[in-house]
Every structure is written in structure tokens, then in C-alpha cells.
């Protein structure tokens, strides 16, 4: 029988009543003749609570134990969803990651899925099970320990199962009815897209649009998974939501497809670093060895052989970054006068594959921000995106102004 993957996010399984509503949707697909793999998230708020408990118990926690605790939210919803389906006379069984098994790397808290053997689930489907409910976000390392896939990782679980089982479709049910030109919670003018290209979705996700985890989009692109984002609260038609698809499958699109933002950015500056070959290598090697994800980098103009070096990284990595450069200074690897961390910044980005062939997007973006009196602290660009770091208090304003200026409320 054809296989369908249906993923329900935190708000879609937040209460027993919502689990029942989600289960009814699953029942509809089973009645159509699909064998269904349901991927569930933890109830909304649960993972944050678990992360909080871990940090309170042990601020510089052992990532293996973080995973042991934080993966548990999904176990509860998987069992409850299977029970709910059974109550509806749908043959269902729950599976934790290790039972499938979802084999991952041993990079705890941000593991990657390496392999999902299909034989265990397939054998159960052959015996008459119609729904496998799988706990999202988790897997098992080569050492036999529980891993998690990074925040938002259930999306990636869903796409990986769709690829491994050659599912007809991977439907991501969430609390909005599709992918919008920007987060509809920030701009009321955000427009729902019928389709979005993999490349654009990949950029939007990696620049902060958390509607899909970045890795899930990468996998969908690589394995040609038919990926759809839709609401678990509204009645569905067959072409509801947003289809994430190849660029060739989209007839018309705007030069800028969307605006993304990320609140969770910090800007760090090493003041007065010696300006000679090898210094940048030493600074960024010590940061990367400490597990800091450096995003944007600027080196200022040197004066009298010294310069300032600025980078951005996630807010929760500032302490680690600070320690890394202080250790490198103590070792005599680098020399600087001061290290400054500014955690009141945000990143705003415009994304669109049309930028490959259109010039002037950057100039327009900078004009719009300047007209709003917003100072740009750092800029980075790639072929299909432009990102700026600005003061966090202007983030919403910047998103709305850019959305207006690029007329994203209108379809191409
Ligand atoms: P789930 O718990 O279902 O995984 P998430 O909270 O992870 O849901 O993702 C859905 C949220 O993503 C929406 O509520 C919305 O606020 C946010 N979001 C950010 N950018 C976008 C966008 N471009 N389109 C749609 N939603 C977006
Ligand atoms: N529950 C996990 C999280 O909040 C995974 C997910 O919902 O995708 O990050
Ligand atoms: Mg999510």
C-alpha cells in the first residue's frame, strides 16, 4: 500500500483533544488506503520546559544527558497518539527512535540522521498495522545512546522517513496554514505562498523562519520528497497549504520571495587585534574548536597595524565564545585589548532566487532601512540572499518595511 508521512508539531498535539483531532485526520488517510507514518513532536512548551530543567541542574551540561531528558517529550505524545488511534479502531503502534532504529551520528543535541532501516516497520505493516506513530526529534548513536536532532528536529524526522519509505507525500501539520512571505505573526500583510522553491525555503529556514527545520529542507531537496506545509486546525482540500518544490515547477515568482529574521543573534568584537597573516585563522579556529557557530564576520580597517574583528553567533554561545578567545589569549595564540558582546541585535534577511538575475536588491534594502532610521551593523550576502544585523528593537519595523517595499503582499 502507498505510504504517507504526516507530522504534527507541538501546538497540534498540545492537548488530548488536539491529539484526537490530529488522529481523525490520520484516520481519513487510512480510510483512503494509505499506510501512514505519523511523526509527533512533544506537546507545545514541553521541550522548552525540559531544556530549562537541564540548564538549571547543570549549566554546562553533558550533552548525552541533555538528550536523555529532552527527547522524552516526544515519547509521551507518540504513545498517546497510538492509544487515541486504537480507540478509533485504527491499528496503530508507537515507536521511539531507538526502536525503529533511527541511526544518527553521535553529535549530541544536533545529531544527523544517517540511516533508517525500513524492515521493522514494514514487517508490522505487513501484519496489518496501519499507522506507525514515531517519536520525532530523536535517534540512537553508534554508541547506543539516545540523540536529538536540534530544535525543530521533528520536521527532519518526518522528511527522513518519507525518503526512507518512498512516501507519496510528507505533510507537515502546524499552527499556520503554509509558508508565508514572512512570519505572519510579525507582519499582518504576510501572504501565503502556494509553492516555494527548495533553495528559497532552505535559505529562509536557515535565516530563522522556523516553520521548517533547515535540515528537513536539505533532505527533501536531496531525496525529492514531496513536502507540504499545512494547518492542523483548518479543513483541508487536496491542494491546501504550501508545496515546497523544484524551481522549475513554479511559473512566476517575485524577485524577493520572503523576509526572514532571527532574534537570537549576538555580535561580538575583539578590539585592537594585531593585523597580520594568520590571526583570523587563530581566532576562528579557537571559536570553532569551542563549538561556536560563527555566522557573519567583518574585519575593520587597520590602523597602525591593529584592527577590530567582529562576528555574530547565537546568543546562547556568547559565554562559550568569550571563554574560547580568553583561553587563546592566555595561551599567547592571539592578542587583543578587549572583547565586547552585544546581545541586543537581530538578523533580518531578504531571500529570492530572482536575485541571481536582478541587480539593485541590496541597494533597495539599504535605502529602506535608512529611511526608517535603522543603522546596519553587519552585512552578508550570497547569490540569493542579503542579511543585515541591526538593533533588535527595530527588527519588526525592518521586516514590515522590507515586506512593503518589495511588495510581497502581491503575487508576481
Ligand atoms: P511546530 O510546533 O508545528 O513545529 P513551529 O513553531 O516550529 O511549529 O513553526 C511554525 C511557526 O513558524 C509559525 O507559528 C510561525 O510563527 C513561524 N514562521 C516563521 N516564519 C514563517 C513563514 N515564513 N511562514 C510561516 N510561518 C513562519
Ligand atoms: N520538540 C522539539 C522542539 O521543540 C522538536 C520539534 O518540535 O520539532 O525542538
Ligand atoms: Mg517546528
Amino acid at each position: 500500500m502507498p505510504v504517507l508521512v504526516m507530522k504534527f508539531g507541538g501546538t497540534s498535539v498540545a492537548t488530548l483533544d488536539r491529539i484526537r483531532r490530529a488522529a481523525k485526520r490520520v484516520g481519513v488517510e487510512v480510510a483512503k488506503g494509505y499506510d501512514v507514518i505519523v511523526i509527533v513532536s512533544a506537546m507545545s512548551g514541553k521541550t522548552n520546559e525540559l531544556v530549562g530543567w537541564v540548564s538549571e541542574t547543570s549549566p554546562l551540561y553533558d550533552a548525552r544527558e541533555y538528550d536523555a531528558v529532552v527527547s522524552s517529550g516526544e515519547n509521551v505524545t507518540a504513545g498517546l497518539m497510538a492509544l487515541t488511534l486504537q480507540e478509533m479502531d485504527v491499528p496503530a503502534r508507537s515507536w521511539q527512535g531507538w526502536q525503529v532504529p533511527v541511526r544518527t551520528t553521535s553529535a549530541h543535541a544536533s545529531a544527523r540522521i544517517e540511516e533508517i532501516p525500513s524492515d521493522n516497520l514494514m514487517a508490522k505493516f505487513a501484519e496489518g498495522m496501519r499507522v506507525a506513530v514515531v517519536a520525532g526529534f530523536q535517534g540512537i548513536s553508534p554508541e547506543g545512546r539516545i540523540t536529538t536532532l536540534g530544535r525543530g528536529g521533528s520536521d527532519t524526522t518526518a522528511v527522513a522517513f518519507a525518503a526512507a519509505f518512498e512516501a507519496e507525500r510528507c505533510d507537515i501539520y502546524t499552527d499556520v496554514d503554509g509558508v508565508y512571505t514572512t512570519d505572519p505573526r510579525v507582519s499582518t500583510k504576510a501572504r501565503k505562498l502556494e509553492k516555494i522553491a527548495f533553495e528559497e525555503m532552505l535559505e529562509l529556514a536557515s535565516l530563522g523562519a522556523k516553520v521548517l527545520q533547515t535540515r528537513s529542507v536539505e533532505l527533501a531537496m536531496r531525496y525529492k520528497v514531496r513536502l507540504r506545509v499545512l494547518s492542523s486546525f483548518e479543513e483541508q482540500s487536496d491542494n491546501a497549504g504550501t508545496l515546497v518544490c523544484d524551481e522549475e515547477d513554479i511559473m512566476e515568482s517575485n524577485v524577493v520571495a520572503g523576509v526572514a529574521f532571527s532574534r537570537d543573534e549576538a555580535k561580538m568584537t575583539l578590539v585592537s587585534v594585531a593585523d597580520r597573516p594568520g590571526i583570523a585563522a587563530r581566532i576562528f579556529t579557537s571559536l570553532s574548536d569551542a563549538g561556536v557557530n560563527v555566522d557573519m564576520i567583518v574585519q575593520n580597517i587597520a590602523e597602525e597595524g591593529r584592527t577590530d574583528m567582529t562576528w555574530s553567533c547565537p546568543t546562547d554561545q556568547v559565554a562559550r565564545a568569550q571563554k574560547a578567545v580568553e583561553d587563546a589569549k592566555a595561551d599567547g595564540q592571539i592578542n587583543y585589548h578587549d572583547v565586547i558582546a552585544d546581545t541586543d541585535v537581530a538578523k533580518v534577511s531578504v531571500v529570492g532566487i530572482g536575485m541571481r538575475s536582478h541587480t539593485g536588491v541590496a541597494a533597495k534594502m539599504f535605502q529602506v532601512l535608512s529611511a526608517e532610521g535603522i543603522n546596519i551593523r553587519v552585512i552578508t550576502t550570497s547569490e540569493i540572499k542579503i542579511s543585515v544585523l541591526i538593533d533588535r528593537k527595530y527588527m519588526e519595523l525592518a521586516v514590515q518595511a522590507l515586506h512593503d517595499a518589495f511588495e510581497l503582499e502581491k503575487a508576481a
Side-chain angles (χ1 to χ4, degrees):
M1 274 189 235
V3 173
L4 199 63
V5 172
M6 302 170 77
K7 179 254 172 179
F8 293 94
T11 36
S12 312
V13 293
T15 61
L16 297 186
D17 190 48
R18 290 199 182 161
I19 293 177
R20 269 192 294 273
R21 276 163 64 177
K24 274 193 200 140
R25 280 189 196 284
V26 176
V28 169
E29 302 297 343
V30 169
K32 286 185 198 162
Y34 288 106
D35 280 341
V36 181
I37 301 176
V38 172
I39 310 294
V40 285
S41 287
M43 289 176 168
S44 71
K46 193 71 211 171
T47 309
N48 285 345
E49 181 182 43
L50 295 168
V51 170
W53 288 347
V54 169
S55 304
E56 206 177 316
T57 308
S58 170
L60 288 176
Y61 49 75
D62 176 335
R64 297 175 199 81
E65 302 311 335
Y66 167 97
D67 280 351
V69 176
V70 168
S71 61
S72 65
E74 273 70 9
N75 297 344
V76 175
T77 41
L80 289 173
M81 176 64 85
L83 287 171
T84 309
L85 286 160
Q86 289 174 1
E87 287 294 322
M88 292 165 40
D89 292 326
V90 178
R93 184 61 64 207
S94 73
W95 303 76
Q96 296 182 8
W98 64 272
Q99 293 173 300
V100 175
V102 177
R103 294 191 202 285
T104 72
T105 60
S106 38
H108 285 276
S110 58
R112 280 174 168 246
I113 296 176
E114 303 230 284
E115 193 200 354
I116 302 177
S118 60
D119 32 331
N120 276 343
L121 261 56
M122 279 312 202
K124 281 286 177 190
F125 279 131
E127 283 171 22
M129 174 186 74
R130 299 300 308 282
V131 182
V133 186
V134 178
F137 179 53
Q138 50 170 268
I140 182 167
S141 73
E143 294 76 29
R145 301 220 55 97
I146 305 298
T147 53
T148 64
L149 309 178
R151 299 305 304 273
S154 296
D155 299 328
T156 301
T157 309
V159 174
F161 271 84
F165 288 81
E166 294 175 9
E168 199 170 292
R169 225 174 41 234
C170 179
D171 286 343
I172 306 284
Y173 286 89
T174 183
D175 56 2
V176 284
D177 60 352
V179 177
Y180 280 70
T181 48
T182 193
D183 189 336
R185 293 178 210 287
V186 167
S187 171
T188 48
K189 292 188 192 161
R191 176 172 53 89
K192 197 194 84 171
L193 298 163
E194 220 170 286
K195 293 178 175 178
I196 185 163
F198 283 120
E199 287 87 346
E200 288 173 332
M201 191 63 238
L202 194 59
E203 286 285 1
L204 287 173
S206 72
L207 295 167
K210 69 169 183 163
V211 61
L212 287 173
Q213 197 195 33
T214 310
R215 182 82 185 125
S216 73
V217 186
E218 264 169 32
L219 285 183
M221 195 163 141
R222 163 130 50 101
Y223 294 102
K224 304 220 167 296
V225 171
R226 245 180 108 70
L227 179 61
R228 193 163 68 138
V229 176
L230 64 176
S231 163
S232 67
F233 301 113
E234 285 167 26
E235 284 311 310
Q236 298 307 348
S237 60
D238 275 350
N239 52 7
T242 300
L243 188 69
V244 190
C245 59
D246 284 325
E247 197 178 324
E248 291 75 36
D249 299 334
I250 301 177
M251 300 290 277
E252 304 257 8
S253 62
N254 288 324
V255 176
V256 171
V259 182
F261 57 84
S262 158
R263 275 189 188 87
D264 165 43
E265 304 284 323
K267 177 165 79 75
M268 298 188 73
T269 300
L270 281 190
V271 181
S272 187
V273 190
D275 185 26
R276 50 186 154 75
I279 291 297
R282 285 193 210 158
I283 295 171
F284 293 104
T285 304
S286 52
L287 290 171
S288 102
D289 289 349
V292 177
N293 299 97
V294 172
D295 176 19
M296 306 162 121
I297 299 176
V298 257
Q299 181 177 344
N300 298 328
I301 296 168
E303 262 179 66
E304 293 170 13
R306 302 196 78 85
T307 182
D308 290 351
M309 188 74 88
T310 297
W311 67 86
S312 70
C313 66
T315 320
D316 61 0
Q317 294 181 359
V318 166
R320 218 182 294 178
Q322 184 126 10
K323 185 169 184 312
V325 291
E326 282 166 5
D327 288 352
K329 187 180 183 184
D331 282 357
Q333 298 263 349
I334 54 175
N335 179 300
Y336 57 85
H337 286 176
D338 201 3
V339 47
I340 301 170
D342 179 355
T343 50
D344 282 326
V345 291
K347 182 168 64 176
V348 175
S349 311
V350 299
V351 171
I353 42 189
M355 284 186 216
R356 284 188 198 132
S357 50
H358 277 74
T359 54
V361 176
K364 183 162 171 180
M365 179 177 190
F366 303 154
Q367 280 158 15
V368 170
L369 296 174
S370 132
E372 298 292 340
I374 301 171
N375 199 9
I376 301 171
R377 312 229 166 252
V378 186
I379 301 169
T380 51
T381 66
S382 78
E383 204 187 16
I384 66 161
K385 71 117 202 261
I386 302 159
S387 299
V388 294
L389 208 62
I390 59 173
D391 289 346
R392 190 171 307 146
K393 63 181 178 215
Y394 298 127
M395 192 192 79
E396 276 89 358
L397 175 64
V399 170
Q400 288 156 4
L402 290 167
H403 198 276
D404 283 349
F406 288 103
E407 301 187 342
L408 300 192
E409 74 283 3
K410 292 187 206 149

